[in-house]
């Protein structure tokens, strides 16, 4: 986890049960990782988990109890929003009105429209973008209400959470491009294989537009020797060690 993630986790653990604090942060970071990879289906799955955990956090705010993670939550509908609104006025308005309405909007986009579409105009990118930034707002608001850090420290933390994210991958016809042009070639190879495993050396060379084939194959052989990939008969596979390295690279992308 990043430094920001660790601070957020400690703040949430001071307010909420540890398993809920861990779960909502895990769902958020997983959503962010899949968003950067443009894996809309998996990002949608993770945002669904985020919503489910956030609802349990609300339950805890209102009653100091929550539905176990292993059990299904009640239906999320207008009646549920009304119940939240009717809670004690001593509870912050964000918990009673604002956060529930954000979550309900997210829930509706996630469940009512779906994430995988085959229409000519594909809404997945815009759907996941608004879902991600809604999750950022919900998480930031919970941090704001729970933080015992100084005003300056909390503001800096929230600014870090709300930073604009850029997808790392871009699909162009039959080729996947990496949008970080400053990344070294070995890192690009690992990230491309993380996005889609089992690619040929020709595919990878074309994707990163590496000019010298001999030198490019030397890079692949070095990654093979380091056990980050398996490079045999022109086919590249990402190893468990390579997966760890690729996730590390992706997590550092802004």
């Amino acid at each position: 986890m990043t430094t920001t993630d660790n601070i957020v986790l400690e703040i949430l653990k001071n307010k909420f049960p540890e398993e809920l604090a861990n779960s909502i942060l895990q769902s958020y970071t997983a959503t962010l990782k899949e968003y950067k990879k443009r894996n809309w289906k998996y990002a949608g799955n993770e945002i669904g988990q985020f919503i489910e955990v956030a609802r349990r956090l609300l339950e805890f705010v209102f009653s100091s109890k929550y539905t176990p993670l292993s059990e299904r939550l009640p239906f999320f509908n207008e009646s549920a929003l009304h119940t939240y609104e009717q809670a004690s006025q001593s509870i912050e308005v964000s918990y009673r009105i604002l956060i529930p309405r954000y979550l309900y909007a997210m829930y509706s986009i996630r469940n009512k429209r779906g994430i995988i579409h085959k229409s000519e105009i594909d809404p997945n990118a815009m759907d996941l973008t608004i879902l991600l930034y809604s999750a950022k707002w919900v998480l930031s608001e919970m941090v704001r209400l729970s933080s015992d850090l100084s005003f300056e420290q909390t503001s800096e933390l929230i600014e870090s959470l709300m930073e604009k994210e850029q997808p790392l991958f871009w699909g162009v016809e039959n080729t996947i491009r990496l949008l970080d042009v400053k990344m070294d070639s070995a890192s690009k190879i690992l990230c491309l294989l993380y996005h889609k495993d089992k690619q040929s050396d020709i595919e990878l060379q074309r994707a990163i537009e590496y000019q010298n084939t001999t030198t490019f194959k030397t890079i692949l052989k070095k990654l093979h020797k380091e056990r980050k990939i398996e490079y045999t008969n022109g086919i590249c596979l990402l190893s468990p060690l390579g997966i760890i390295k690729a996730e590390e690279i992706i997590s550092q992308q802004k």
Side-chain angles (χ1 to χ4, degrees):
M1 290 196 300
T2 65
T3 301
T4 295
D5 292 340
N6 285 323
I7 298 172
V8 167
L9 180 59
E10 290 306 312
I11 289 173
L12 294 179
K13 282 164 58 176
N14 288 334
K15 173 79 173 183
F16 302 102
E18 185 172 350
E19 73 165 346
L20 292 186
N22 280 318
S23 292
I24 197 166
L25 188 59
Q26 287 170 4
S27 296
Y28 168 74
T29 55
T31 299
L32 188 56
K33 180 177 75 174
E34 298 302 335
Y35 178 84
K36 289 178 177 178
K37 292 161 57 182
R38 298 180 67 88
N39 278 344
W40 308 132
K41 176 181 178 180
Y42 296 110
N45 291 339
E46 295 299 341
I47 209 72
Q49 293 296 315
F50 178 93
I51 295 166
E52 296 290 292
V53 179
R55 290 181 63 196
R56 288 173 168 86
L57 291 170
L58 290 178
E59 287 182 332
F60 186 79
V61 169
F62 296 133
S63 66
S64 298
K65 297 182 294 184
Y66 63 93
T67 304
L69 293 173
S70 59
E71 296 182 11
R72 292 177 64 87
L73 286 167
F75 287 115
F76 200 9
N77 49 32
E78 295 287 345
S79 178
L81 293 180
H82 182 70
T83 300
Y84 290 136
E85 290 177 12
Q86 297 305 308
S88 170
Q89 295 290 309
S90 63
I91 298 174
E92 290 92 343
V93 68
S94 283
Y95 287 127
R96 290 188 292 108
I97 299 175
L98 303 182
I99 291 175
R101 289 180 180 275
Y102 258 93
L103 292 175
Y104 187 57
M106 294 167 68
Y107 174 87
S108 297
I109 294 173
R110 168 64 181 82
N111 292 341
K112 304 299 183 183
R113 187 143 95 144
I115 297 301
I116 300 301
H117 306 270
K118 295 182 180 179
S119 58
E120 183 176 346
I121 301 175
D122 191 336
N124 288 340
M126 67 182 188
D127 284 0
L128 263 300
T129 297
I130 195 167
L131 287 170
L132 173 63
Y133 283 92
S134 295
K136 282 176 170 285
W137 185 89
V138 169
L139 187 61
S140 296
E141 183 67 353
M142 289 182 171
V143 166
R144 185 184 71 84
L145 295 172
S146 306
S147 177
D148 57 3
L149 300 177
S150 69
F151 175 85
E152 291 78 11
Q153 289 173 313
T154 302
S155 296
E156 183 177 338
L157 182 61
I158 290 172
E159 285 179 9
S160 179
L161 283 171
M162 292 301 300
E163 280 183 345
K164 185 177 181 181
E165 305 291 345
Q166 297 291 346
L168 181 58
F169 301 93
W170 178 34
V172 183
E173 295 182 348
N174 295 322
T175 302
I176 299 297
R177 299 290 189 205
L178 278 159
L179 298 181
D180 185 350
V181 296
K182 296 181 181 179
M183 189 183 294
D184 64 80
S185 297
S187 295
K188 289 180 180 178
I189 291 166
L190 294 176
C191 288
L192 286 167
L193 289 172
Y194 186 82
H195 181 73
K196 176 192 171 186
D197 205 5
K198 195 176 181 179
Q199 295 191 57
S200 69
D201 48 15
I202 296 172
E203 288 179 281
L204 293 168
Q205 184 178 356
R206 181 174 65 242
I208 69 172
E209 299 181 306
Y210 202 97
Q211 298 300 313
N212 190 305
T213 299
T214 300
T215 305
F216 183 74
K217 290 184 176 181
T218 299
I219 296 172
L220 293 177
K221 291 174 183 177
K222 183 173 185 294
L223 289 171
H224 174 91
K225 185 175 181 180
E226 294 171 346
R227 294 296 179 263
K228 293 175 183 174
I229 69 169
E230 176 66 26
Y231 179 39
T232 306
N233 297 326
I235 300 299
C236 300
L237 293 166
L238 198 58
S239 74
L241 182 61
I243 291 173
I244 293 172
K245 182 62 178 177
E247 290 182 340
E248 178 185 318
I249 295 166
I250 291 170
S251 70
Q252 294 172 351
Q253 296 299 306
K254 288 294 184 182

